[in-house]
């Protein structure tokens, strides 16, 4: 029964159109990162980057190499859009995008993580079987259909993302609009809407509207009587986010996903009028069905499990950040911190106070004064730098942090030598002091 449902063929118009939009957005994201200066400020200007812990081998290319890197990614985005050497182009973009995502945390964004996951999924999809250069060069691969699982892999992934995003907002500082108010304060100078964003009723609308939208958008898109209504609400929601929060291609990528929720006939009629509509009931169960089902089952179990891990780690994730990343916890808190780093020579007792401006960009300084994993990484960096000069040192950090406008409290135990402690990936680090 499961095999029949997964491998029943349906019209592939939604996937074909999605590939074209997806490739275009990958191109715009890559080239836009160069044009807007994101590559320069994030990957070229810093003396080093805060990569995901354990992935120290992922480092930016020297000089202007990252400009070339992102330009190549943009070319692969165009190739994806045109369907040229699709699987190779999709695979290369996925590897390159994943590498840049994992090599720096100064511009961490859940949407970048989602693009990494989606790119990985797209490698396995037959998205080049129509309206592509590949199908033009090799007519024998042309197809008007796809297995049903090609649609549902997106639906399930999005359901996980939006559901966790909704549930994560169910905590006091979001429900009383504290977080929204703090987020909107920086938008008061926006033309036309700046004053509107400071209104209390708007804060409640955004806070509770966000919870309801994230929690209901997928079910309402799946339910035919509400599909059109939630689609138009989605347009407003994502365009608003694009204008107010300036989060790149994600709002438009999210709108592109709605292709998989409308009737295939509608998508074919609107976007691919010359394409014959597939309306057969063919079921082709491939030999690889068992490993394919196993792989995707494991993948989705991981996707469900990762956002839950902070519940098994001591203290509040809003304070410790342990279990925060890869968990769809989007724009949930506003942090402000200050920190001083003290390096002590173990042999002589000489103490050097570190000036963060000598080492870090402004954006990196915000991380190194508020996020425990980055504070630990910077301490390790200082240790290596002084070791290179023949000194065995200890690194002590005095850090105070405010979460969502609350009074500052000490985040890091100032008596612990962070240069000589291990990082715990799946459990609490005791040198992070309690939030209460």
């Amino acid at each position: 029964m499961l095999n029949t449902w997964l491998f029943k063929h349906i019209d592939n118009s939604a996937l074909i159109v999605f590939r074209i939009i997806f490739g275009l957005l990958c191109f715009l994201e890559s080239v836009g990162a160069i044009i807007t200066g994101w590559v320069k400020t994030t990957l070229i200007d810093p003396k080093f980057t805060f990569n995901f812990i354990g992935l120290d081998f992922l480092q930016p290319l020297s000089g202007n190499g990252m400009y070339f890197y992102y330009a190549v990614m943009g070319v692969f985005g165009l190739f994806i859009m045109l369907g040229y050497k699709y699987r190779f182009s999709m695979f290369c973009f996925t590897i390159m995008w994943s590498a840049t995502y994992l090599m720096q945390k100064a511009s961490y964004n859940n949407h970048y993580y989602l693009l990494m996951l989606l790119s990985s999924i797209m490698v396995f999809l037959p998205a080049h079987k129509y309206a592509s250069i590949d199908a033009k060069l090799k007519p024998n691969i042309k197809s008007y259909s796809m297995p049903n699982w090609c649609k549902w892999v997106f639906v399930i992934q999005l359901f996980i993302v939006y559901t966790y995003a909704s549930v994560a907002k169910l905590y006091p500082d979001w429900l009383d609009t504290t977080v929204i108010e703090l987020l909107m304060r920086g938008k008061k100078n926006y033309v036309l809407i700046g004053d509107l964003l400071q209104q209390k009723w708007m804060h409640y609308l955004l806070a509770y509207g966000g919870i309801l939208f994230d929690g209901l958008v997928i079910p309402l898109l799946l339910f035919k009587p509400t599909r059109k209504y939630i689609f138009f609400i989605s347009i407003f929601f994502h365009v608003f986010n694009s204008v107010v929060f300036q989060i790149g291609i994600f709002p438009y990528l999210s709108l592109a996903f709605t292709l998989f929720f409308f009737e295939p006939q509608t998508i074919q009629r609107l976007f691919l009028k010359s394409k014959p509509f597939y309306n057969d009931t063919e079921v082709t169960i491939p030999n690889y069905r068992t490993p394919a089902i196993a792989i995707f089952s494991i993948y989705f179990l991981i996707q469900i499990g990762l956002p839950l891990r902070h519940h098994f780690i001591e203290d509040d994730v809003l304070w410790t950040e342990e279990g925060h990343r890869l968990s769809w916890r989007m724009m949930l808190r506003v942090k402000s911190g200050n920190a001083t780093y003290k390096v002590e020579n173990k042999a002589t007792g000489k103490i050097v106070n570190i000036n963060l401006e000598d080492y870090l960009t402004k954006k990196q300084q915000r991380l190194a004064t508020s996020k425990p994993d980055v504070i630990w990484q910077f301490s390790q960096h200082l240790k290596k730098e002084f070791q290179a000069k023949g000194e065995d040192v200890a690194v002590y950090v005095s850090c105070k942090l405010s979460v969502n406008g609350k009074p500052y409290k000490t985040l890091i135990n100032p008596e612990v030598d962070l240069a000589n402690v291990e990082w715990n990936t799946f459990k609490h680090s005791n040198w992070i002091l309690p939030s209460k």
Side-chain angles (χ1 to χ4, degrees), residues 379-394:
S379 299
Q380 297 296 308
H381 176 80
L382 291 172
K383 174 185 176 180
K384 292 177 182 177
E385 183 173 279
F386 279 84
Q387 277 183 339
K389 296 186 290 186
E391 296 185 52
D392 184 19
V393 300

Side-chain angles (χ1 to χ4, degrees), residues 396-415:
Y396 300 98
V397 180
S398 176
C399 177
K400 291 188 177 294
L401 181 69
S402 169
V403 180
N404 296 337
K406 292 180 172 59
Y408 282 84
K409 293 183 62 178
T410 302
L411 174 66
I412 304 297
N413 187 338
E415 297 180 359

Side-chain angles (χ1 to χ4, degrees), residues 191-229:
V191 177
L192 299 179
I193 62 172
D195 290 337
L196 181 65
L197 295 177
Q198 310 309 311
Q199 304 301 312
K200 196 64 179 178
W201 65 265
M202 175 61 76
H203 299 162
Y204 275 101
L205 176 64
L206 295 176
Y208 287 87
I211 293 171
L212 291 173
F213 180 85
D214 289 344
L216 297 175
V217 61
I218 301 302
L220 293 181
L221 281 171
L222 288 170
F223 188 48
K224 189 173 181 179
T226 57
R227 186 173 297 148
K228 288 183 179 179
Y229 301 106

Side-chain angles (χ1 to χ4, degrees), residues 283-355:
V283 177
T284 304
I285 301 177
N287 294 329
Y288 60 81
R289 66 186 182 279
T290 300
I293 292 173
I295 289 170
F296 276 105
S297 297
I298 293 171
Y299 169 80
F300 283 120
L301 285 173
I302 293 172
Q303 284 298 300
I304 293 169
L306 273 179
L308 297 174
R309 69 192 189 279
H310 71 87
H311 292 291
F312 301 94
I313 301 175
E314 185 180 334
D315 214 332
D316 187 353
V317 63
L318 290 168
W319 176 256
T320 68
E321 298 273 332
E322 294 169 316
H324 170 79
R325 292 187 176 86
L326 315 184
S327 297
W328 313 120
R329 302 180 58 79
M330 307 177 193
M331 290 187 290
L332 288 177
R333 74 281 188 269
V334 177
K335 286 191 169 187
S336 175
N338 58 73
T340 57
Y341 288 75
K342 182 175 65 175
V343 176
E344 180 180 349
N345 186 303
K346 291 183 179 180
T348 66
K350 179 183 177 182
I351 293 176
V352 176
N353 292 312
I354 300 299
N355 183 355

